[in-house]
């Protein structure tokens, strides 16, 4: 026990001296430098994370608005034009829908060999493109469908390799395609189209100029064509929607309009000149 006691007494001075030895002081200096470096890295690391997370944070901010616009940097007029669809998707949707629908009907009228453009017929498609395809469909596709299918936006923005692994997103992809083709197009899109057509082409001096008579006539015409119209619609839009709802969310409506250009030409050929 005395030996242990002396050992303790002897150890204390040596430990104190060791703390102030040149080697120990060098170690302490090295540790302080390392701590300072870590502290500096700690202050700079959050900046890198903020930069790396800038895209998700922007996405979170835009989700408070329309949920699909992207805050992107640009320079010059050309950069402003190129990034416009991402920055202003709603305005882009209205512009593209209006021009596309009018253009599709004009192409079909020329293909039919008409010497003069039927502007009243073209007015049906232009008004329908602006009011329904440009404004109403935004609400249906962006607001309603993304609420019915909560994984839709997340899935659409994933890389293609990740989409193949995301079962919940794949289920929502099928759901959106079914909602669009078998509910939206059949019970909303076509009735609205026939009403627009009847309103614009109806004789304002005739007895059927009131809204009730117009709706009744439009519904009767759609009922006669319901099978043919929907078979044409489904043959194009079932595969088309699978692509549209799988693409990045900001691209959804522009891509939809690209396919819709072909569809509007079909619709104009089928029903444009029908009285």
């Amino acid at each position: 026990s005395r030996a242990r006691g002396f050992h303790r007494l002897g150890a204390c001075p040596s430990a104190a001296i060791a703390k102030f030895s040149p080697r120990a002081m060098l170690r302490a200096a090295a540790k302080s430098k390392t701590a300072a470096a870590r502290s500096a890295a700690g202050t700079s690391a959050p900046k890198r994370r903020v930069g790396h997370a800038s895209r998700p944070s922007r996405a979170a901010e835009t989700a408070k608005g329309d949920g699909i616009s992207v805050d992107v940097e640009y320079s010059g007029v050309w950069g402003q034009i190129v990034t416009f669809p991402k920055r202003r998707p709603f305005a882009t949707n209205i512009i593209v829908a209006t021009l596309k629908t009018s253009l599709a009907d004009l192409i079909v009228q020329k293909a039919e060999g008409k010497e003069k453009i039927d502007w009243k017929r073209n007015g049906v498609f232009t008004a329908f493109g602006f009011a329904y395809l440009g404004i109403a469909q935004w609400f249906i596709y962006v607001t309603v469908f993304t609420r019915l299918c909560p994984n839709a936006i997340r899935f659409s923005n994933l890389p293609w390799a990740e989409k193949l692994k995301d079962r919940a997103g794949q289920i929502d992809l099928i759901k959106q395609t079914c909602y669009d083709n078998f509910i939206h197009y059949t019970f909303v899109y076509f009735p609205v189209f026939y009403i627009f057509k009847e309103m614009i082409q109806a004789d304002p001096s005739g007895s059927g100029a009131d809204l009730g008579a117009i709706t009744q006539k439009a519904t009767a015409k759609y009922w006669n064509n319901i099978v043919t119209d929907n078979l044409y619609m489904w043959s194009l839009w079932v595969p088309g929607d699978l692509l549209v709802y799988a693409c990045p969310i900001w691209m959804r409506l522009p891509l939809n309009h690209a396919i819709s250009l072909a569809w509007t030409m079909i619709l104009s050929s089928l029903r444009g000149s029908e009285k």
Side-chain angles (χ1 to χ4, degrees):
S1 63
R2 286 182 180 179
R4 287 196 295 270
F6 284 121
H7 180 70
R8 290 194 191 101
L9 290 171
C12 291
S14 61
I17 293 170
K19 288 182 181 179
F20 297 99
S21 66
R23 186 177 297 176
M25 293 175 71
L26 288 173
R27 287 176 184 168
K31 286 181 180 180
S32 64
K33 288 181 180 179
T34 304
R38 286 178 180 174
S39 176
T43 56
S44 60
K47 292 181 181 178
R48 289 196 296 271
R49 285 197 295 271
V50 169
H52 182 70
S54 61
R55 290 179 184 174
S57 68
R58 285 171 181 164
E61 288 173 4
T62 54
K64 295 178 181 178
D66 54 52
I68 71 169
S69 61
V70 179
D71 185 12
V72 293
E73 295 181 359
Y74 63 89
S75 60
V77 177
W78 178 247
Q80 188 174 10
I81 294 171
V82 171
T83 60
F84 187 83
K86 287 186 177 183
R87 295 183 294 105
R88 299 289 185 269
F90 180 60
T92 301
N93 182 60
I94 294 175
I95 295 168
V96 174
T98 306
L99 296 178
K100 171 263 305 180
T101 313
S102 177
L103 176 63
D105 177 64
L106 292 174
I107 293 172
V108 172
Q109 288 197 45
K110 284 295 183 182
E112 292 173 348
K114 292 183 179 294
E115 296 182 0
K116 293 183 179 181
I117 298 295
D118 184 349
W119 291 110
K120 202 168 188 179
R121 165 180 166 175
N122 186 255
V124 173
F125 287 91
T126 304
F128 183 68
F130 172 79
Y132 187 80
L133 303 183
I135 298 174
Q137 264 192 182
W138 176 275
F139 172 75
I140 293 170
Y141 287 148
V142 175
T143 305
V144 176
F145 277 21
T146 52
R147 289 182 181 179
L148 293 174
C149 305
N151 298 298
I153 294 179
R154 179 188 57 77
F155 176 79
S156 65
N157 289 325
L158 288 175
W160 287 99
E162 294 296 322
K163 285 182 171 74
L164 297 175
K165 304 174 185 177
D166 190 342
R167 185 169 179 79
Q170 293 170 6
I171 292 172
D172 275 1
L173 174 64
I174 300 300
K175 284 166 63 178
Q176 288 177 100
T177 302
C178 292
Y179 288 150
D180 201 17
N181 282 273
F182 307 123
I183 297 176
H184 167 226
Y185 288 145
T186 303
F187 299 106
V188 182
Y189 174 94
F190 275 123
V192 172
F193 169 75
Y194 276 91
I195 290 172
F196 264 81
K197 187 172 183 296
E198 195 66 27
M199 286 176 65
I200 294 173
Q201 293 184 337
D203 182 4
S205 62
S207 59
D210 64 282
L211 184 59
I214 287 173
T215 304
Q216 187 176 0
K217 285 184 179 180
T219 305
K221 288 181 180 180
Y222 174 49
W223 184 252
N224 291 332
N225 300 326
I226 189 170
V227 175
T228 304
D229 287 353
N230 281 281
L231 287 177
Y232 272 100
M233 175 70 82
W234 298 336
S235 65
L236 178 65
W237 279 108
V238 169
D241 274 348
L242 290 172
L243 177 61
V244 167
Y245 293 125
C247 73
I249 189 70
W250 69 267
M251 250 183 88
R252 175 174 294 185
L253 287 172
L255 180 58
N256 179 283
H257 289 310
I259 300 172
S260 182
L261 177 65
W263 163 249
T264 307
M265 292 169 66
I266 295 171
L267 184 62
S268 176
S269 179
L270 281 173
R271 308 299 173 211
S273 58
E274 187 181 71
K275 300 298 181 182

